[in-house]
Amino acid sequence: MNDTIAAIATAPGEGGVSIVRISGPEAENVLMRVFLPKKKNPWPLESHRMTYGRAVDGAEAIDECMAVLMRAPRSYTREDVAELQLHGGVAVCQRALQACLRAGCRLAEPGEFTRRAFENGRLDLSQAEAVMGLIAARGEQARQAALRQLDGGASSFIRRAADELYQLQAALAACIDYPEEITEEEALSGLRPRMLALADTLAAAADERAAHILADGLTVALCGRPNVGKSSLLNALLREERAIVTAVPGTTRDIVRGEITLNGCPIRLADTAGLRDTGDEVEAVGVRLAKKAAAESDCVLLVLDGHLPLTPEDEALLRGIPSEGRDVIVLLNKADLPAAFPAEGLPLPEGTACLRVSARQPDSLGPLKEALARRAAVSDRLALTQPRHVEAARRAAEHLRAAAAAMDIAVDLASVDLSAAQSELASITGDQVEESLLDAVFSRFCVGK
Ligand SMILES: Nc1nc2c(ncn2[C@@H]2O[C@H](COP(=O)(O)OP(=O)(O)OP(=O)(O)O)[C@@H](O)[C@H]2O)c(=O)[nH]1
Ligand SMILES: [Mg+2]
């Protein structure tokens, strides 16, 4: 951690500016070698102030630029940080980075700036991950959740839970260590309900579905027999001709994907091959892919042709809707044509949504969009929103339940479970983590952050 690192902090490609960032004890010295300020007697640079000049590599000019030095500890990493703001372009910033490396730093690993911010105590681990969440956010909802986490929302929830857990551990330890002073029953009577209450609090915050939707968006598969208008509906939702549409049944074979944003939530749509028994080898592969896409999605749109009587294939698909566990919306497409059967007569499990739509009439898709937006909306009161945190909290809740159950058998067994729960909570904030976990977390960052 004592060396000085550098990386290009902006996304590759052309843009207004690109930034090369340097962090570490040699940051100022490196800057003095690669930056030639315009003004006289510039050194030492005033901290946190932009200075105009040139980026240079030895005697050669690289670009006109601005530079800023942020002295420790008032910087992102809490080390001395220097940044060069160059014209945005691949060659310019590559060359400036090379000059920095020659001037005495090494290339940063992915996430290494943020890892230093964490190791220097500026952020806890969940906040460091929130930085990554902000960068990765593809919609308003994910951005807001990441910002709440950066502001310490997850950390303060976990610290409160950890405090309660410490109290439980202390009470249990007292009763193990001083059995003559407190009767075991006295000491234990209140503990079990508190363990279960804490387990409930953690389990309620550990909403895996919500965490997955924030990270990946809501995945939706358009399924149904051939020719009912799945591809037409995909195109209508995307408002572009993404998938091929023809009157020939069996047109779509590959999965055709597209994404829309509804109320700030990304909805990832997959149009699939029409489901039927077929002798055509290519189509059969498509049917297999379609079933896989349906099984893996959060929500299935089962499309029927509302202007033709149901076929045995439609009926088989309707019978296949499970009564729970799978989220299915039945769409009666081609509502611009006369309806062949009433929606009410369909044999649907209770609570299954059924909507009349027409791919030819974009206005008819409003209720469908509302239904999808509702499924993609995640409560903004959820304390934990990252899959890693949710899993750790769920495991902590399991250990607490095991501890509560162990109270009848052996109090020291319960204390082992409480310690295990405490380790899970500490892994969220990074108060107690293995180096390998840190490597895994930070390697998912981009270089330069
Ligand atoms: N009138 C009317 N025709 C539609 C509508 N949606 C689709 N069609 C027509 O139905 C036929 C089949 O449409 P597709 O979108 O290719 O159907 P599909 O379900 O993707 O079919 P496969 O890819 O073969 O499984 C085409 O001729 C479309 O123009 C609709 O809402 N109203
Ligand atoms: Mg199709």
Side-chain angles (χ1 to χ4, degrees):
M1 269 259 297
N2 281 330
D3 53 357
T4 298
I5 53 173
I8 299 169
T10 37
E14 293 174 21
V17 281
S18 55
I19 294 176
V20 172
R21 177 183 281 167
I22 307 159
S23 179
E26 289 298 310
E28 186 167 7
N29 286 333
V30 171
L31 188 65
M32 285 176 79
R33 281 179 216 129
V34 302
F35 177 61
L36 210 62
K38 191 88 175 173
K39 67 177 182 191
K40 293 213 174 71
N41 299 324
W43 306 102
L45 288 187
E46 194 183 329
S47 188
H48 292 80
R49 196 173 187 110
M50 284 285 194
T51 309
Y52 170 69
R54 292 190 141 201
V56 294
D57 191 358
E60 192 187 343
I62 300 172
D63 190 11
E64 208 183 9
C65 72
M66 304 289 287
V68 62
L69 180 68
M70 289 164 273
R71 274 184 231 282
R74 287 177 54 216
S75 73
Y76 183 62
T77 57
R78 286 207 171 150
E79 302 175 327
D80 282 351
V81 169
E83 285 181 4
L84 288 174
Q85 287 196 3
L86 305 138
H87 286 114
V90 179
V92 167
C93 53
Q94 282 292 354
R95 188 61 202 278
L97 176 63
Q98 278 167 14
C100 293
L101 299 181
R102 263 201 286 278
C105 38
R106 72 165 168 82
L107 190 60
E109 310 272 341
E112 198 170 1
F113 292 96
T114 307
R115 183 166 185 158
R116 287 181 175 203
F118 162 69
E119 286 179 351
N120 292 324
R122 202 182 88 84
L123 304 167
D124 73 18
L125 191 57
S126 87
Q127 289 172 313
E129 290 169 290
V131 170
M132 185 166 52
L134 269 174
I135 292 171
R138 287 188 302 159
E140 266 301 283
Q141 176 168 263
R143 181 190 67 72
Q144 288 167 4
L147 190 63
R148 283 195 300 276
Q149 191 181 327
L150 184 60
D151 287 342
S155 316
S156 60
F157 170 78
I158 291 300
R159 282 184 214 289
R160 276 198 306 278
D163 278 349
E164 167 70 358
L165 189 47
Y166 277 126
Q167 289 181 24
L168 290 169
Q169 284 178 297
L172 203 58
C175 123
I176 294 170
D177 295 344
Y178 306 105
E180 62 286 347
E181 282 171 38
I182 333 164
T183 72
E184 195 161 298
E185 257 157 84
E186 224 176 357
L188 300 185
S189 59
L191 292 184
R192 194 195 341 247
R194 278 172 69 190
M195 288 176 192
L196 291 173
L198 185 56
D200 287 346
T201 306
L202 287 168
D207 184 336
E208 289 178 33
R209 181 177 177 276
H212 144 71
I213 287 173
L214 280 173
D216 308 324
L218 184 81
T219 56
V220 176
L222 284 146
C223 297
R225 70 166 171 83
N227 229 31
V228 291
K230 300 177 293 299
S231 302
S232 305
L233 285 168
L234 174 82
N235 292 346
L237 286 165
L238 295 177
R239 297 206 234 152
E240 75 173 73
E241 297 258 310
R242 181 76 54 91
I244 299 174
V245 168
T246 73
V248 183
T251 301
T252 306
R253 272 94 190 281
D254 277 323
I255 307 267
V256 183
R257 296 184 194 279
E259 185 171 316
I260 54 173
T261 301
L262 297 175
N263 290 349
C265 317
I267 313 282
R268 293 164 60 193
L269 300 160
D271 172 32
T272 64
L275 298 164
R276 66 171 169 183
D277 279 331
T278 169
D280 181 309
E281 193 182 338
V282 181
E283 194 181 347
V285 176
V287 169
R288 190 159 50 72
L289 290 178
K291 289 180 178 160
K292 185 162 173 278
E296 288 171 354
S297 62
D298 299 313
C299 174
V300 171
L301 302 181
L302 175 55
V303 186
L304 306 174
D305 185 335
H307 108 106
L308 293 176
L310 292 179
T311 68
E313 282 146 337
D314 292 325
E315 280 162 1
L317 288 169
L318 285 169
R319 276 196 305 276
I321 301 179
S323 47
E324 53 191 285
R326 202 100 266 290
D327 185 14
V328 178
I329 302 176
V330 175
L331 297 181
L332 306 181
N333 189 32
K334 311 198 186 181
D336 52 305
L337 302 173
F341 54 88
E344 299 70 42
L346 289 175
L348 298 179
E350 183 142 328
T352 307
C354 179
L355 301 169
R356 274 197 194 278
V357 293
S358 165
R360 300 247 170 109
Q361 295 172 331
D363 288 348
S364 73
L365 301 176
L368 170 61
K369 289 185 189 169
E370 278 163 30
L372 292 175
R374 264 199 309 281
R375 284 162 170 80
V378 168
S379 160
D380 60 6
R381 287 192 300 277
L382 268 185
L384 302 176
T385 48
Q386 287 233 347
R388 188 183 78 79
H389 304 167
V390 163
E391 279 162 32
R394 189 181 42 73
R395 286 193 298 267
E398 280 165 17
H399 285 303
L400 277 158
R401 294 211 172 100
M407 294 286 278
D408 283 338
I409 309 159
V411 173
D412 35 356
L413 274 186
S415 100
V416 171
D417 277 311
L418 290 188
S419 307
Q422 194 63 271
S423 305
E424 292 293 350
L425 296 187
S427 78
I428 296 177
T429 48
D431 290 348
Q432 182 190 321
V433 278
E434 308 260 325
E435 199 70 5
S436 56
L437 173 65
L438 293 181
D439 290 344
V441 166
F442 286 104
S443 64
R444 290 165 52 215
F445 274 66
C446 44
V447 177
K449 189 61 213 176

